[in-house]
Amino acid sequence: MNMHARNIPVQKSAAEEFLDQLFDAGILFDTGVDGLYGRSGTFENVIKAFDNLVTKFGGDDNATPIHFPPGIARRLFEKSGYMKSFPQLAGTVHSFMGGESDHCTLLAELEAGSDWTSQQAATEVVLTPAACYPLYPTVAKRGPLPAGGRLYDLQSYCFRHEPSKDPARMQMFRMREFVRIGSPEQVRAFRESWLERGQEMMASLGVPLTVDVANDPFFGRAGKMMANNQRDTGLKFELLIPVTSEEKPTACLSFNYHQNHFGSLWDIRTSDGEEAHTACVGFGMERVALALFKHHGPDIDAWPKAVRDILWG
Ligand code: ATP
Ligand code: ZN
């Protein structure tokens, strides 16, 4: 009997095929880890142009820009409640903090190819899971909001441990976010206006899109109830564009209304002393770039003139 395994051809998913195309075209570069890619100059040009387009659409709102580094203080992260909702996505930064004999053990473990990470201890830094997480404690520190509330324009690399062959599901990616903090009316008006603007902006780029209610991937059985509640109350909407699947289009923009969740958690107060409400609109920079490459092709010089004019005109 032939004991050799038969050569069964592995069926690649559409997502994986698109990833291969991106590697072959030199748009993304393989690093050996799913969801961690090098980006070409062309890819970055698209991101920059889209970033400028977002500024054009949101620029008159006078948002305060803040660029946080891609790490958040562990102390603040702990208080944020992220581990209750998304323990499966979080990434913590660990470092070697031992002495010389620990170092010897570490080197021996490395040499032996065994698990050397037991020598690592948690630092005071956690990788930022969403651009707005470091903002709320920063705002809380400034005291009560002015009567008009506040509006911020954030950008950060984010980390989520969701390794995947889908190029649109990265582990490290950039998120730009506008975050509105104020009364329920101010915050809801902001989200409504971006639901309109987001669709207008993306339609101008010649990509097919839909908007739908959504939920975050809350962990566990209790999380399922939170997810259902989020959907039923329409707290999260996504602007979806087919990137690797027609049936399951990719969330490229998100519109989230947190009600008083962060206001209560961080004790952010309006000028009337009420708990502030918050909402954010998030732009997945890589996902938008990938949607453009998907629909207009790998060669940006061959993209429709109308799209090129919007991005680089
Ligand atoms: P999904 O449902 O596809 O997992 P999400 O609900 O987790 O998306 P948000 O948490 O709302 O997304 O994040 C804001 C934006 O960041 C999303 O609209 C998306 O464009 C982008 N984003 C989220 N996760 C990823 C990822 N793994 N890789 C690339 N971009 C992402
Ligand atoms: Zn996600």
Side-chain angles (χ1 to χ4, degrees):
M1 202 177 125
N2 185 357
M3 296 301 284
H4 290 284
R6 260 194 296 156
N7 222 350
I8 303 165
V10 182
Q11 184 83 39
K12 282 196 176 175
S13 66
E16 207 172 336
E17 268 171 18
F18 185 43
L19 182 60
D20 284 346
Q21 285 165 17
L22 293 160
F23 289 157
D24 291 345
I27 292 170
L28 292 183
F29 296 88
D30 192 356
T31 67
V33 176
D34 291 340
L36 214 62
Y37 308 115
R39 285 105 165 121
S40 71
T42 305
F43 190 88
E44 287 304 298
N45 278 341
V46 173
I47 294 231
K48 257 182 237 152
F50 177 68
D51 200 28
N52 291 337
L53 186 65
V54 172
T55 303
K56 214 181 269 173
F57 270 77
D60 289 343
D61 296 357
N62 258 322
T64 305
I66 308 184
H67 286 210
F68 288 104
I72 175 174
R74 174 148 66 99
R75 190 174 45 80
L76 300 178
F77 176 81
E78 284 160 3
K79 190 171 164 188
S80 78
Y82 196 82
M83 291 310 276
K84 272 190 222 147
S85 299
F86 313 109
Q88 78 282 19
L89 299 178
T92 50
V93 177
H94 285 60
S95 263
F96 173 71
M97 296 179 203
E100 274 191 54
S101 73
D102 303 308
H103 187 215
C104 286
T105 312
L106 169 76
L107 292 180
E109 284 169 345
L110 268 172
E111 182 75 16
S114 61
D115 178 20
W116 58 276
T117 57
S118 59
Q119 297 291 327
Q120 303 285 102
T123 67
E124 60 196 6
V125 179
V126 173
L127 296 172
T128 302
C132 62
Y133 270 73
L135 178 69
Y136 306 110
T138 308
V139 171
K141 252 195 217 157
R142 298 186 62 186
L145 303 170
R150 292 193 194 279
L151 175 67
Y152 291 92
D153 176 359
L154 312 176
Q155 176 147 180
S156 176
Y157 250 100
C158 297
F159 174 88
R160 293 182 186 178
H161 187 237
E162 42 185 5
S164 168
K165 294 277 183 207
D166 179 349
R169 190 166 297 286
M170 298 184 174
Q171 296 201 60
M172 288 182 157
F173 56 94
R174 273 158 290 181
M175 204 186 283
R176 179 156 174 191
E177 274 192 66
F178 288 112
V179 184
R180 186 79 168 100
I181 307 180
S183 68
E185 297 73 33
Q186 289 165 345
V187 161
R188 278 201 294 260
F190 160 84
R191 191 175 74 149
E192 288 310 309
S193 91
W194 265 111
L195 266 165
E196 292 300 319
R197 280 192 263 185
Q199 290 178 76
E200 189 194 331
M201 184 174 74
M202 296 315 292
S204 79
L205 294 175
V207 289
L209 60 92
T210 50
V211 169
D212 205 354
V213 284
N215 61 264
D216 288 310
F218 296 102
F219 186 78
R221 224 179 317 147
K224 215 168 179 69
M225 279 164 61
M226 286 166 78
N228 288 340
N229 181 54
Q230 191 182 29
R231 266 180 177 271
D232 293 347
T233 46
L235 295 180
K236 184 182 182 84
F237 284 88
E238 288 175 340
L239 186 150
L240 305 153
I241 304 172
V243 177
T244 51
S245 155
E246 288 289 332
E247 301 81 52
K248 280 198 175 163
T250 300
C252 293
L253 274 62
S254 305
F255 312 84
N256 303 299
Y257 178 29
H258 318 116
Q259 299 173 306
N260 65 340
H261 175 79
F262 291 114
S264 162
L265 181 69
W266 296 106
D267 197 23
I268 307 173
R269 299 274 160 184
T270 65
S271 55
D272 303 339
E274 300 288 328
E275 265 174 7
H277 280 224
T278 61
C280 63
V281 49
F283 308 86
M285 305 307 283
E286 282 80 4
R287 283 188 178 179
V288 169
L290 291 170
L292 290 166
F293 281 110
K294 178 71 188 185
H295 290 280
H296 302 315
D299 177 8
I300 58 172
D301 294 330
W303 286 8
K305 183 171 180 308
V307 173
R308 293 184 48 83
D309 284 350
I310 297 270
L311 287 173
W312 292 286

